[in-house]
Amino acid sequence: MSEETSGEIKNAAVFHHRINSNVLIPDYKEVYRYAGIFGKEDFVPDEQLSRLAEEAEKEVCNNMNCRGLYIRFPLTVTESDQITYDGKLLYDIKFGDVSFSSHFLGLNLKDCNAIYLFAATLGPAVDKAIQKASRINAAKAVMLQASGAMYIEKYCDALMEFLSEAESKEGNVLCPRFSPGYGDIPLEMQKTFFELLQCQKNLALTLNNSLIMSPEKSVTAFIGVKKNNGV
């Protein structure tokens, strides 16, 4: 479900998103991958490892509270007259009162006419479970971390699916999400998300001096919106 918050920020409304944790289907292959247990394609965990992963996944699922925020702006992306130090073309990106230049995000957004900024979290109880396990059972803590990483990605996918369904009614499609800290978008961009989405007020999500979010199992990202030329 989604609901509009009261008021508007920089001429765009902020919306809340929430789903029941049971809607998300666990992916144990992703849990093992996040835990650093890659193996071969035919990798089959032994009984002890399977039990540890299942217990950790269920504990994360029982503790998580999947909530998110999103905001949509008209977007303009134009080729800049500047290039990067290694010769890559920069794009000037503008939405709301925000403007900056990027190569990698510009490539992602260059055909888009609108943009979403979203923040998503599993909530503080997952962090507390991981912290507790780290003091008494290191192996369980690793699996809880991995399960949390799997589930926050699952929730981001679900939020994107929700937005995609809404945009498809207008003949639009979404581009892959792109988070601060990737490519040439610095973590400093987190401050823009927190200002526009009012994350601390609306989501109890905080940002420390190192630009790390708390709760830890949280994500911010851009999502471009473009016309579906196949429609």
Side-chain angles (χ1 to χ4, degrees), residues 5-202:
T5 63
S6 60
E8 293 191 351
I9 301 175
K10 305 239 178 182
N11 300 318
V14 177
F15 292 83
H16 287 258
H17 181 268
R18 183 192 295 266
I19 63 170
N20 190 309
S21 302
N22 295 329
V23 171
L24 302 179
I25 300 172
D27 185 338
Y28 287 103
K29 287 185 178 179
E30 285 296 282
V31 172
Y32 295 130
R33 183 174 73 84
Y34 283 117
I37 308 170
F38 293 96
K40 298 180 180 179
E41 289 186 4
D42 58 352
F43 164 74
V44 178
D46 61 27
E47 183 178 347
Q48 183 179 5
L49 184 59
S50 292
R51 185 167 59 251
L52 181 62
E54 289 173 8
E55 290 174 355
E57 176 272 312
K58 285 181 173 59
E59 184 168 347
V60 169
C61 186
N62 290 335
N63 279 284
M64 66 188 187
N65 180 16
C66 300
R67 295 182 300 146
L69 302 168
Y70 61 93
I71 190 169
R72 189 184 192 275
F73 290 100
L75 171 73
T76 59
V77 180
T78 55
E79 290 187 5
S80 174
D81 56 2
Q82 299 179 334
I83 59 173
T84 65
Y85 70 92
D86 55 353
K88 291 185 175 67
L89 175 67
L90 284 171
Y91 295 86
D92 293 328
I93 298 167
K94 296 181 181 180
F95 57 87
D97 295 335
V98 179
S99 61
F100 59 96
S101 297
S102 165
H103 171 71
F104 293 105
L105 182 58
L107 286 176
N108 181 286
L109 299 175
K110 66 178 184 178
D111 297 322
C112 297
N113 54 33
I115 190 170
Y116 284 102
L117 280 69
F118 82 78
T121 185
L122 299 185
V126 174
D127 280 14
K128 291 178 181 177
I130 294 170
Q131 291 163 6
K132 179 180 178 180
S134 66
R135 295 191 292 268
I136 57 179
N137 188 333
K140 181 180 179 181
V142 169
M143 281 300 180
L144 288 170
Q145 285 274 12
S147 296
M150 177 272 293
Y151 267 124
I152 188 60
E153 288 299 313
K154 284 276 186 179
Y155 177 44
C156 289
D157 290 343
L159 177 51
M160 282 196 66
E161 183 177 353
F162 170 81
L163 296 175
S164 179
E165 289 177 0
E167 291 293 340
S168 68
K169 296 174 183 178
E170 305 298 325
N172 298 327
V173 295
L174 301 184
C175 293
R177 62 181 181 266
F178 197 109
S179 290
Y182 289 94
D184 55 355
I185 300 300
L187 276 175
E188 190 78 14
M189 187 63 72
Q190 296 281 42
K191 293 179 180 179
T192 298
F193 283 81
F194 272 69
E195 177 187 356
L196 294 175
L197 293 168
Q198 297 288 288
C199 293
Q200 187 164 353
K201 174 184 175 183
N202 291 325

